[in-house]
């Protein structure tokens, strides 16, 4: 996920000259920044992609509060194919991303108004010349960075359903929904099946790796449609520990 092969090419795709792209740095979490030339600081926001999967299989409702938070895309048993489930997931993703980016930009505005990165201003190229702090668009590169959490959990979920339900027919959507609703109490057989027979990200399994790539590329492409208040597009960091 973090390597010269991925990061340098990725920064260049966003328009960063290769000389600066090669000088990237990874912050304490997963944000990719260019020291002295970009908004070096905390991410603009964090989104839980696994929570969006929960909304997708529960008709947009939160399982904890029961509140209708997302779109009415249907319940787990309403999807007759893995692609139908994927389309519903991407629909929820687009819906929440729009609101998420709005909140991210509000945070940028607040930090800008309070000069929260004033100390970093003279150490960031172009800020003094422009008379703007890093959150005000003063840096040379002004892309936004959002923390992407839950992606491996989503990949595991899609891979499990893809393999056990649709490819092998070992588990029905009706049984899976009932097991989830019961938090797997009384469904030990199904829990062990999902635990032991479904592929898990991080084990060099092509199937789940492909799902993980699909999840991240789709979300990062979506946030790339929006611009940060600083002026640049939004990019994604990747936190794999859920």
């Amino acid at each position: 996920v973090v390597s010269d092969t991925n990061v340098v090419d990725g920064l260049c795709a966003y328009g960063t000259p290769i000389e600066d792209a090669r000088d990237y740095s990874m912050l304490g979490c997963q944000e990719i920044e260019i020291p002295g030339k970009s908004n070096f600081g905390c991410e603009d926001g964090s989104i839980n992609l696994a929570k969006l999967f929960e909304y997708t299989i529960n008709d947009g409702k939160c399982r904890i509060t029961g509140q209708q938070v997302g779109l009415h895309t249907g319940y787990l048993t309403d999807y007759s194919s893995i692609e139908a489930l994927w389309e519903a997931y991407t629909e929820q993703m687009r819906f929440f991303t729009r609101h998420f980016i709005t909140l991210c930009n509000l945070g940028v505005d607040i930090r800008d108004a309070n000069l929260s990165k004033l100390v970093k201003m003279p150490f960031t190229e172009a800020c003094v010349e422009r008379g703007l702090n890093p959150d005000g668009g003063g840096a040379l590169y002004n892309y936004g960075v959002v923390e992407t959490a839950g992606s491996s959990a989503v990949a595991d979920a899609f891979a499990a359903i893809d393999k056990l339900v649709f490819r092998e027919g070992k588990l029905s959507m009706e049984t899976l929904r009932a097991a989830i609703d019961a938090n797997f109490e009384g469904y030990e057989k199904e829990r062990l099946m999902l635990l032991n027979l479904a592929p898990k990200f991080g084990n060099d399994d092509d199937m789940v790796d492909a799902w993980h790539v699909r999840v991240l590329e789709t979300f990062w492409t979506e946030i790339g449609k929006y611009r940060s208040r600083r002026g640049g597009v939004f990019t994604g960091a990747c936190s794999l520990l859920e």
Side-chain angles (χ1 to χ4, degrees), residues 158-218:
F158 269 106
I161 295 172
D162 190 3
K163 179 183 179 182
L164 298 179
V165 176
F166 293 111
R167 296 194 187 194
E168 299 179 355
K170 293 179 178 178
L171 188 63
S172 70
M173 286 293 230
E174 289 74 17
T175 300
L176 181 57
R177 178 182 174 182
I180 294 173
D181 288 342
N183 198 23
F184 287 91
E185 292 186 14
Y187 291 89
E188 184 65 8
K189 174 186 175 182
E190 288 74 18
R191 188 187 72 82
L192 291 175
M193 184 188 302
L194 291 165
L195 180 66
N196 297 314
L197 300 183
K200 306 292 187 295
F201 179 73
N203 293 283
D204 199 24
D205 184 284
D206 290 343
M207 180 183 182
V208 71
D209 286 355
W211 275 112
H212 199 209
V213 169
R214 192 176 187 183
V215 170
L216 287 177
E217 284 190 344
T218 301

Side-chain angles (χ1 to χ4, degrees), residues 59-123:
D59 198 35
K61 290 193 289 291
C62 175
R63 284 190 174 274
I64 298 173
T65 66
Q67 291 181 310
Q68 186 71 40
V69 182
L71 302 173
H72 289 286
T73 51
Y75 292 94
L76 183 61
T77 48
D78 293 324
Y79 304 114
S80 58
S81 69
I82 195 67
E83 287 304 318
L85 178 60
W86 173 255
E87 287 302 317
Y89 179 72
T90 55
E91 189 177 351
Q92 295 281 4
M93 181 192 292
R94 287 191 295 269
F95 171 76
F96 279 100
T97 297
R98 184 171 69 253
H99 297 291
F100 172 64
I101 293 299
T102 298
L103 293 174
C104 289
N105 274 326
L106 285 174
V108 173
D109 287 342
I110 291 170
R111 292 192 296 275
D112 179 28
N114 287 280
L115 299 175
S116 63
K117 296 177 182 174
L118 186 61
V119 175
K120 296 179 181 179
M121 186 174 174
F123 300 103

